Amino acid sequence: MKQTSDLESNSLKLRELLEGPGVAQILEAHNALSATIVEEAGIKGLWASSLTLSSTAGLRDNSELTMTEVLDTLESITTKANIPILFDGDTGYGQFSHFQQLVRKLCMRRVGGVCIEDKVFPKTNSFLRSEGQELAPTEEFAGKIRAGKDAQTDPNFIVAARTEALIVGLDTAAAIDRAERYVEAGADAVLIHSKQRNFSEVQDFMAKWSGRAPVIIVPTTYYATPIEVFEQAGISLVIWANHMLRAGIGAMQNVAEHIVERGTARDLEDSIAPVKEIFRLQDADGLLEGEKVYLKQEAACSAIVLAASRGSGMDELTKDCPKAMIPIGGKPAIEKMLQSMRAEGVRDISIVRGYKPEALNPSGVTLFDNSEWASNGELGSLSLAKSALKGEVVLAYGDVIFKRYILHLLLSSDAPITIIVDSSRSFIEEGRTVDRVHVAGPPPSLYEESENWLEAAGSDLTEDKTTGEWIGMLRTRGEGTELFRAALDEVCAGPGSDQKDVCAVLHHLAQQDPRSVRVIYVQGDWVDINSLADVVRSGDV
Ligand code: SPV
Ligand code: MG
């Protein structure tokens, strides 16, 4: 992963290579991958070659690759690599004004420098039909150099001037004249190119060179000359201009031919990079590191569903299955609940079964069986599933059907303990026994989460102390879960706990601290199966 410290100016790094003592070497890269390989080998800079960039794009080295295309590649290299690029800018992509645009864009992309050559657009590679190649007029090219230097927005950006005088067959004097003129125009370095198979021509140039600027060479044809010879001659920078691509071409041709000939990759495996090497070069592990830092997941919310009881007065509906399995709209009630929970990101759902456990067997949940459900009641069931009462937990009765937004509201609460209360008091006229609650403050406005706290809970609350009905859903998180567990233990340890229910635990919490249980109000949009019994019997839902 690129570190902030690596963002030190690329132009400065390139300048140090050029202006530092001795001779430095840079190596061609034509994409971010080859740049990474070069960098890993310990080379201190990259040559972004027009020959290799164009051929990688399936084009000729005749100014066929556009400025936009090449800038994209350079951008991906500077994003990945931590060593500077000297970009082969051909003839500058047009006249002086185009070159100025190029320089600005290179500075923006943190390219260390550009080298342009004194030929005319469209140029041809120096090793191809070089005799017929045309040089740009010296003054025009000097003007282009000056324009580039005036346009740079990065003070250390390098503009190198390359003379092709020797390539087109002119003599050393002509090359020197041009190079001197370019340095006067502001060039930070001179590149003297030669197609000779030995160093003598460039050596002659160096002998006559004033030394007013660092000299760069591209020893593609005189590759056998030792680096010490270049150093003695006063060369500052050696560009190995195409070797990464040439190495790749040979290797790829071998592989392709091998597969065609043998119809198998069996014998290739040992000689090609393993796939895991690709992952390493891509920094696949860096992603894992990043995930640890940036993708810290909130611990997923889990759920406990209490579905042990048979329910009273529903004998014929629950003859073969527990209440939670009664079909509502063609689907068992519990399935609707599981669907809503999963849709809201609640994973790890535990269900406590009791009555007819074999008939309640949804997939992908943890099952607890309370064989004593008829005698130890709701708190017996909950205690059985206490191992699941940790972290962030939704606790719900298995026979409650609700619209999904109610669960969403519950999950969005930031309180340690939150319950959902229906503020309509229709159960009073209807004479239904429900989990009544008394909530602090005046009657709520709908869906308000703010500052509504449970003061008391129990089916025996008097009418004047009843604000609404707990719908059988609550959620605890963090310290709230610990508080809830402690309250559960205390209530269970008290007298008559087998007759008590979750409502008693809530009451206990509210008595201990009147601001421990947050209330979120709803009105309708939920129902419990007991109150639906008549409808279910009639088959209308
Ligand atoms: C390049 O690598 O594209 C160069 C050097 O310009 S040469 O191919 O020798 O012209
Ligand atoms: Mg080139």
Side-chain angles (χ1 to χ4, degrees):
M1 209 182 290
K2 212 186 240 305
Q3 305 294 316
T4 316
S5 58
D6 297 328
L7 296 177
E8 184 208 321
S9 163
N10 277 328
S11 54
L12 196 59
K13 290 189 207 164
L14 184 61
R15 192 167 280 279
E16 282 162 6
L17 291 181
L18 264 176
E19 296 174 0
V23 59
Q25 307 185 72
I26 63 175
L27 179 51
E28 169 265 326
H30 42 277
N31 54 27
L33 178 65
S34 53
T36 305
I37 295 171
V38 171
E39 181 180 356
E40 282 190 353
I43 304 265
K44 297 284 184 262
L46 301 163
W47 170 245
S49 147
S50 69
L51 173 67
T52 67
L53 287 167
S54 58
S55 56
T56 308
L59 300 172
R60 285 175 288 248
D61 190 16
N62 288 69
S63 307
E64 290 181 349
L65 193 66
T66 67
M67 192 198 294
T68 317
E69 288 168 323
V70 89
L71 284 167
D72 270 355
T73 307
L74 294 175
E75 187 174 292
S76 67
I77 296 176
T78 54
T79 305
K80 181 83 183 351
N82 299 306
I83 51 176
I85 301 175
L86 177 59
F87 168 53
D88 176 3
D90 279 349
T91 57
Y93 292 84
Q95 61 163 11
F96 75 93
S97 61
H98 302 95
F99 183 49
Q100 288 191 307
Q101 296 301 345
L102 174 68
V103 167
R104 290 187 189 110
K105 288 169 193 285
L106 292 173
C107 288
M108 279 177 62
R109 285 164 177 80
R110 303 179 53 253
V111 172
V114 64
C115 179
I116 53 169
E117 61 198 64
D118 54 0
K119 290 205 295 224
V120 294
F121 181 94
K123 69 95 213 222
T124 301
N125 184 275
S126 308
F127 300 129
L128 201 60
R129 301 181 283 275
S130 56
E131 293 303 333
Q133 293 189 11
E134 188 185 343
L135 291 191
T138 307
E139 282 313 308
E140 183 190 305
F141 190 72
K144 201 183 267 188
I145 293 287
R146 200 168 63 244
K149 287 306 292 175
D150 287 345
Q152 72 188 55
T153 52
D154 169 352
N156 288 303
F157 187 76
I158 300 285
V159 174
R162 160 172 165 180
T163 181
E164 293 280 282
L166 302 178
I167 295 287
V168 300
L170 297 181
D171 60 12
T172 309
I176 292 278
D177 280 352
R178 282 185 169 254
E180 291 287 357
R181 182 68 197 99
Y182 303 156
V183 173
E184 268 167 33
D188 298 286
V190 163
L191 189 155
I192 178 71
H193 203 8
S194 166
K195 58 187 182 204
Q196 298 297 315
R197 288 174 187 274
N198 59 54
F199 182 48
S200 59
E201 187 178 55
V202 175
Q203 206 157 23
D204 186 39
F205 176 93
M206 290 308 291
K208 296 177 175 140
W209 175 239
S210 64
R212 287 165 67 203
V215 175
I216 307 170
I217 56 168
V218 183
T220 304
T221 48
Y222 48 100
Y223 59 86
T225 308
I227 189 89
E228 295 76 16
V229 176
F230 297 149
E231 183 156 25
Q232 273 167 19
I235 303 294
S236 295
L237 188 69
V238 175
I239 298 176
W240 301 107
N242 42 48
H243 300 75
M244 294 299 282
L245 184 70
R246 284 164 61 194
I249 289 174
M252 288 190 272
Q253 285 168 334
N254 283 343
V255 166
E257 282 163 19
H258 184 107
I259 286 182
V260 167
E261 278 166 20
R262 311 223 188 145
T264 171
R266 194 190 61 193
D267 304 323
L268 281 175
E269 201 58 28
D270 292 342
S271 59
I272 58 179
V275 172
K276 73 172 189 306
E277 176 62 359
I278 304 178
F279 294 144
R280 192 192 64 76
L281 287 162
Q282 289 175 316
D283 190 23
D285 286 350
L287 181 61
L288 296 181
E289 293 302 309
E291 283 175 358
K292 278 188 217 147
V293 177
Y294 304 118
L295 257 189
K296 280 192 184 141
Q297 303 244 343
E298 296 239 334
C301 184
S302 57
I304 301 174
V305 180
L306 300 179
S309 75
R310 178 176 185 180
S312 48
M314 305 183 74
D315 293 0
E316 80 204 63
L317 283 170
T318 57
K319 191 153 55 73
D320 301 317
C321 68
K323 253 197 303 186
M325 287 303 288
I326 294 177
I328 308 290
K331 217 183 214 180
I334 191 82
E335 288 296 345
K336 281 179 180 274
M337 172 172 303
L338 296 180
Q339 204 174 8
S340 297
M341 285 185 167
R342 286 175 179 139
E344 286 295 325
V346 176
R347 309 264 176 266
D348 196 5
I349 301 170
S350 299
I351 299 179
V352 186
R353 306 186 294 189
Y355 175 68
K356 299 256 178 219
E358 64 287 348
L360 174 56
N361 214 357
S363 60
V365 300
T366 305
L367 296 168
F368 291 90
D369 286 323
N370 180 13
S371 53
E372 314 279 311
W373 64 272
S375 57
N376 66 9
E378 231 172 84
L379 295 191
S381 292
L382 184 53
S383 299
L384 201 77
K386 225 163 87 179
S387 58
L389 197 54
K390 58 177 191 284
E392 184 182 344
V393 196
V394 170
L395 178 60
Y397 290 148
D399 59 350
V400 172
I401 300 161
F402 50 85
K403 288 213 170 133
R404 202 174 116 190
Y405 78 87
I406 294 180
L407 179 60
H408 188 80
L409 284 177
L410 185 65
L411 290 170
S412 61
S413 165
D414 58 4
I417 303 175
T418 307
I419 64 173
I420 301 282
V421 166
D422 191 322
S423 60
S424 65
R425 305 191 323 152
S426 52
F427 56 86
I428 296 176
E429 292 93 69
E430 291 162 13
R432 283 188 290 118
T433 304
V434 304
D435 289 327
R436 295 180 176 202
V437 292
H438 180 61
V439 180
S445 59
L446 263 189
Y447 312 134
E448 221 172 44
E449 200 188 324
S450 58
E451 302 311 294
N452 298 309
W453 300 100
L454 181 74
E455 290 210 324
S459 53
D460 54 353
L461 286 188
T462 57
E463 218 172 286
D464 59 320
K465 283 278 180 209
T466 300
T467 317
E469 172 183 5
W470 177 48
I471 75 165
M473 288 174 76
L474 66 87
R475 168 181 160 261
T476 67
R477 63 200 286 266
E479 57 180 304
T481 304
E482 298 314 311
L483 268 176
F484 188 86
R485 278 174 75 105
L488 173 65
D489 287 344
E490 282 159 23
V491 172
C492 284
S497 67
D498 48 353
Q499 301 303 313
K500 292 197 170 153
D501 52 16
V502 177
C503 203
V505 180
L506 292 174
H507 182 74
H508 186 73
L509 282 161
Q511 298 308 296
Q512 283 178 330
D513 176 0
R515 290 175 79 83
S516 61
V517 181
R518 166 85 60 89
V519 170
I520 292 178
Y521 286 104
V522 295
Q523 255 187 8
D525 288 338
W526 71 282
V527 72
D528 73 30
I529 293 178
N530 283 329
S531 50
L532 261 188
D534 291 340
V535 190
V536 175
R537 260 181 221 112
S538 72
D540 276 359
V541 288

